[in-house]
Amino acid sequence: MLRRVIFIAAVILLTAGSASAQTNQIIDSTGDGQGNPLNGPQAVALSASGNIYVMGSFSANVFEVTTAGEITEIIDSTGDGVVPLSAPRDVVVDGLGNVFVSGGDAVFEITPAGQISTIIDASGDGEGAALEGAHGLAVDSLNNIYVTGAISDNVFQVNPGGLITEIIDSVGAGPEHRLNLPLAVAVDDLFNVYVTSSSNDSVLRITPGGAVDAIIDPGDGTGNSLDYPRALAIDGSRNVFVAGQFSD
């Protein structure tokens, strides 16, 4: 079956009002208007100060849109100058205003001062657990960063000090719930980490103690199936929401 994905090079802001929602385009394909275009936006993130960050998958860059509407490209395909940014997949902001973007086999950090560095690369934890196909990102209240390896079938935690730990690998929760093609990751206020196993149509949970179980597989058990889980969100009551891309 041929599945077509269409990318629109624009980001739309909807503001809720007392009467009706207001819609504004905050960035389009021209990017910053200085020759740096936005092509194939795939992820957005919001900082505590209200700045919006949008990642261009095809243009291999990230833009900051301030509350005043000023647009700045904060990273491009050159990455940190040593490791390039290739096909970025996700972007998040931590509580200190640092921006993180995944792409290729690496995750980059852009500080509020504009300094760019690589916090994890293809070598993964440096102890034999490699990172291939860096994809989903999440950040917790302690500013730990989580990244999925879509090809290496694992998830890493990178703490603010730079310590890298593989918290789950392809074994997942055992023979019936292996981790296969993890695309999205999320973390709750108790530091439980949730990851989609997209090829296995399930969502796995990793506790702070390292225990792993499946919280959904492959649907609600009443005929509503989950096919290709692609996105995750968690609310303040620790309810987990998962989107099934092909089960709609």
Side-chain angles (χ1 to χ4, degrees), residues 44-47 51-55 61-65 74-75 90-102 107-119 137 139 145:
V44 294
L46 180 68
S47 73
N51 294 325
I52 297 171
Y53 299 88
V54 56
M55 177 273 293
N61 52 8
V62 175
F63 293 93
E64 176 191 69
V65 185
I74 61 172
I75 188 171
D90 204 0
V91 60
V92 295
V93 188
D94 71 11
L96 300 176
N98 300 302
V99 181
F100 300 85
V101 57
S102 60
V107 176
F108 300 88
E109 176 185 28
I110 307 99
T111 70
Q115 296 178 323
I116 301 172
S117 60
T118 301
I119 65 167
L137 291 172
V139 58
I145 301 298

Side-chain angles (χ1 to χ4, degrees), residues 78-177:
T78 61
D80 65 0
V82 177
V83 180
L85 174 62
S86 174
R89 297 299 182 188
D90 204 0
V91 60
V92 295
V93 188
D94 71 11
L96 300 176
N98 300 302
V99 181
F100 300 85
V101 57
S102 60
D105 299 327
V107 176
F108 300 88
E109 176 185 28
I110 307 99
T111 70
Q115 296 178 323
I116 301 172
S117 60
T118 301
I119 65 167
I120 185 172
D121 59 21
S123 63
D125 63 4
E127 298 181 357
L131 172 65
E132 295 183 75
H135 208 284
L137 291 172
V139 58
D140 66 25
S141 60
L142 297 180
N143 298 320
N144 296 303
I145 301 298
Y146 302 85
V147 56
T148 69
I151 299 174
S152 49
D153 294 328
N154 51 8
V155 178
F156 293 92
Q157 178 199 72
V158 186
N159 76 8
L163 177 65
I164 300 171
T165 306
E166 184 187 51
I167 63 171
I168 187 174
D169 61 18
S170 62
V171 173
E176 294 184 1
H177 300 292

